[in-house]
PDB file of all heavy atoms in Angstrom:
ATOM      1  N   ALA A 356      -5.751   5.492   7.773  1.00  0.00           N
ATOM      2  CA  ALA A 356      -6.220   6.050   9.048  1.00  0.00           C
ATOM      3  C   ALA A 356      -5.278   7.139   9.533  1.00  0.00           C
ATOM      4  O   ALA A 356      -5.718   8.203  10.001  1.00  0.00           O
ATOM      5  CB  ALA A 356      -6.339   4.935  10.087  1.00  0.00           C
ATOM      6  N   ALA A 357      -3.958   6.898   9.434  1.00  0.00           N
ATOM      7  CA  ALA A 357      -2.995   7.911   9.854  1.00  0.00           C
ATOM      8  C   ALA A 357      -3.071   9.140   8.953  1.00  0.00           C
ATOM      9  O   ALA A 357      -2.961  10.281   9.427  1.00  0.00           O
ATOM     10  CB  ALA A 357      -1.585   7.326   9.849  1.00  0.00           C
ATOM     11  N   PHE A 358      -3.252   8.930   7.653  1.00  0.00           N
ATOM     12  CA  PHE A 358      -3.389  10.049   6.715  1.00  0.00           C
ATOM     13  C   PHE A 358      -4.571  10.933   7.101  1.00  0.00           C
ATOM     14  O   PHE A 358      -4.464  12.166   7.146  1.00  0.00           O
ATOM     15  CB  PHE A 358      -3.561   9.514   5.298  1.00  0.00           C
ATOM     16  CG  PHE A 358      -3.778  10.578   4.251  1.00  0.00           C
ATOM     17  CD1 PHE A 358      -2.711  11.149   3.589  1.00  0.00           C
ATOM     18  CD2 PHE A 358      -5.065  11.009   3.934  1.00  0.00           C
ATOM     19  CE1 PHE A 358      -2.913  12.146   2.626  1.00  0.00           C
ATOM     20  CE2 PHE A 358      -5.270  11.989   2.984  1.00  0.00           C
ATOM     21  CZ  PHE A 358      -4.191  12.555   2.326  1.00  0.00           C
ATOM     22  N   VAL A 359      -5.700  10.297   7.370  1.00  0.00           N
ATOM     23  CA  VAL A 359      -6.895  11.054   7.757  1.00  0.00           C
ATOM     24  C   VAL A 359      -6.652  11.825   9.048  1.00  0.00           C
ATOM     25  O   VAL A 359      -7.031  12.996   9.181  1.00  0.00           O
ATOM     26  CB  VAL A 359      -8.094  10.101   7.915  1.00  0.00           C
ATOM     27  CG1 VAL A 359      -9.266  10.799   8.599  1.00  0.00           C
ATOM     28  CG2 VAL A 359      -8.533   9.587   6.556  1.00  0.00           C
ATOM     29  N   ALA A 360      -6.026  11.171  10.015  1.00  0.00           N
ATOM     30  CA  ALA A 360      -5.760  11.830  11.285  1.00  0.00           C
ATOM     31  C   ALA A 360      -4.847  13.033  11.113  1.00  0.00           C
ATOM     32  O   ALA A 360      -5.060  14.092  11.721  1.00  0.00           O
ATOM     33  CB  ALA A 360      -5.150  10.833  12.269  1.00  0.00           C
ATOM     34  N   VAL A 361      -3.827  12.898  10.270  1.00  0.00           N
ATOM     35  CA  VAL A 361      -2.917  14.015  10.010  1.00  0.00           C
ATOM     36  C   VAL A 361      -3.668  15.183   9.381  1.00  0.00           C
ATOM     37  O   VAL A 361      -3.531  16.341   9.796  1.00  0.00           O
ATOM     38  CB  VAL A 361      -1.754  13.567   9.099  1.00  0.00           C
ATOM     39  CG1 VAL A 361      -0.989  14.785   8.552  1.00  0.00           C
ATOM     40  CG2 VAL A 361      -0.797  12.664   9.861  1.00  0.00           C
ATOM     41  N   GLN A 362      -4.475  14.885   8.362  1.00  0.00           N
ATOM     42  CA  GLN A 362      -5.210  15.961   7.692  1.00  0.00           C
ATOM     43  C   GLN A 362      -6.200  16.646   8.630  1.00  0.00           C
ATOM     44  O   GLN A 362      -6.360  17.870   8.596  1.00  0.00           O
ATOM     45  CB  GLN A 362      -5.943  15.402   6.461  1.00  0.00           C
ATOM     46  CG  GLN A 362      -5.040  14.761   5.428  1.00  0.00           C
ATOM     47  CD  GLN A 362      -3.928  15.674   4.962  1.00  0.00           C
ATOM     48  OE1 GLN A 362      -4.160  16.834   4.620  1.00  0.00           O
ATOM     49  NE2 GLN A 362      -2.711  15.151   4.945  1.00  0.00           N
ATOM     50  N   ALA A 363      -6.868  15.866   9.468  1.00  0.00           N
ATOM     51  CA  ALA A 363      -7.821  16.447  10.412  1.00  0.00           C
ATOM     52  C   ALA A 363      -7.117  17.336  11.417  1.00  0.00           C
ATOM     53  O   ALA A 363      -7.597  18.425  11.755  1.00  0.00           O
ATOM     54  CB  ALA A 363      -8.583  15.331  11.128  1.00  0.00           C
ATOM     55  N   ALA A 364      -5.977  16.881  11.914  1.00  0.00           N
ATOM     56  CA  ALA A 364      -5.235  17.677  12.894  1.00  0.00           C
ATOM     57  C   ALA A 364      -4.701  18.955  12.260  1.00  0.00           C
ATOM     58  O   ALA A 364      -4.712  20.022  12.879  1.00  0.00           O
ATOM     59  CB  ALA A 364      -4.094  16.843  13.477  1.00  0.00           C
ATOM     60  N   ARG A 365      -4.235  18.871  11.033  1.00  0.00           N
ATOM     61  CA  ARG A 365      -3.761  20.075  10.353  1.00  0.00           C
ATOM     62  C   ARG A 365      -4.892  21.084  10.175  1.00  0.00           C
ATOM     63  O   ARG A 365      -4.702  22.292  10.384  1.00  0.00           O
ATOM     64  CB  ARG A 365      -3.202  19.708   8.977  1.00  0.00           C
ATOM     65  CG  ARG A 365      -1.872  18.988   8.987  1.00  0.00           C
ATOM     66  CD  ARG A 365      -1.463  18.706   7.550  1.00  0.00           C
ATOM     67  NE  ARG A 365      -0.170  18.054   7.459  1.00  0.00           N
ATOM     68  CZ  ARG A 365       0.417  17.735   6.305  1.00  0.00           C
ATOM     69  NH1 ARG A 365      -0.220  17.987   5.159  1.00  0.00           N
ATOM     70  NH2 ARG A 365       1.603  17.157   6.287  1.00  0.00           N
ATOM     71  N   THR A 366      -6.045  20.592   9.771  1.00  0.00           N
ATOM     72  CA  THR A 366      -7.183  21.492   9.584  1.00  0.00           C
ATOM     73  C   THR A 366      -7.545  22.189  10.883  1.00  0.00           C
ATOM     74  O   THR A 366      -7.808  23.398  10.909  1.00  0.00           O
ATOM     75  CB  THR A 366      -8.390  20.705   9.040  1.00  0.00           C
ATOM     76  OG1 THR A 366      -8.057  20.148   7.771  1.00  0.00           O
ATOM     77  CG2 THR A 366      -9.609  21.600   8.884  1.00  0.00           C
ATOM     78  N   ALA A 367      -7.553  21.440  11.973  1.00  0.00           N
ATOM     79  CA  ALA A 367      -7.872  22.039  13.273  1.00  0.00           C
ATOM     80  C   ALA A 367      -6.824  23.060  13.667  1.00  0.00           C
ATOM     81  O   ALA A 367      -7.141  24.125  14.213  1.00  0.00           O
ATOM     82  CB  ALA A 367      -7.974  20.954  14.335  1.00  0.00           C
ATOM     83  N   LEU A 368      -5.571  22.759  13.393  1.00  0.00           N
ATOM     84  CA  LEU A 368      -4.500  23.676  13.736  1.00  0.00           C
ATOM     85  C   LEU A 368      -4.633  24.988  12.978  1.00  0.00           C
ATOM     86  O   LEU A 368      -4.437  26.075  13.532  1.00  0.00           O
ATOM     87  CB  LEU A 368      -3.150  23.019  13.407  1.00  0.00           C
ATOM     88  CG  LEU A 368      -1.901  23.662  14.001  1.00  0.00           C
ATOM     89  CD1 LEU A 368      -1.940  23.581  15.514  1.00  0.00           C
ATOM     90  CD2 LEU A 368      -0.660  22.962  13.457  1.00  0.00           C
ATOM     91  N   LYS A 369      -5.027  24.894  11.723  1.00  0.00           N
ATOM     92  CA  LYS A 369      -5.180  26.113  10.912  1.00  0.00           C
ATOM     93  C   LYS A 369      -6.432  26.890  11.293  1.00  0.00           C
ATOM     94  O   LYS A 369      -6.420  28.117  11.360  1.00  0.00           O
ATOM     95  CB  LYS A 369      -5.240  25.737   9.427  1.00  0.00           C
ATOM     96  CG  LYS A 369      -3.928  25.231   8.873  1.00  0.00           C
ATOM     97  CD  LYS A 369      -4.004  24.969   7.380  1.00  0.00           C
ATOM     98  CE  LYS A 369      -4.917  23.812   7.047  1.00  0.00           C
ATOM     99  NZ  LYS A 369      -4.917  23.508   5.597  1.00  0.00           N
ATOM    100  N   ASP A 370      -7.520  26.164  11.569  1.00  0.00           N
ATOM    101  CA  ASP A 370      -8.811  26.830  11.791  1.00  0.00           C
ATOM    102  C   ASP A 370      -9.035  27.234  13.239  1.00  0.00           C
ATOM    103  O   ASP A 370      -9.664  28.251  13.511  1.00  0.00           O
ATOM    104  CB  ASP A 370      -9.949  25.910  11.355  1.00  0.00           C
ATOM    105  CG  ASP A 370      -9.974  25.696   9.857  1.00  0.00           C
ATOM    106  OD1 ASP A 370      -9.271  26.444   9.144  1.00  0.00           O
ATOM    107  OD2 ASP A 370     -10.678  24.777   9.395  1.00  0.00           O
TER     108      ASP A 370
END
Side-chain angles (χ1 to χ4, degrees):
F358 177 90
V359 168
V361 167
Q362 301 306 312
R365 288 180 178 182
T366 298
L368 195 64
K369 290 184 293 184
D370 292 347

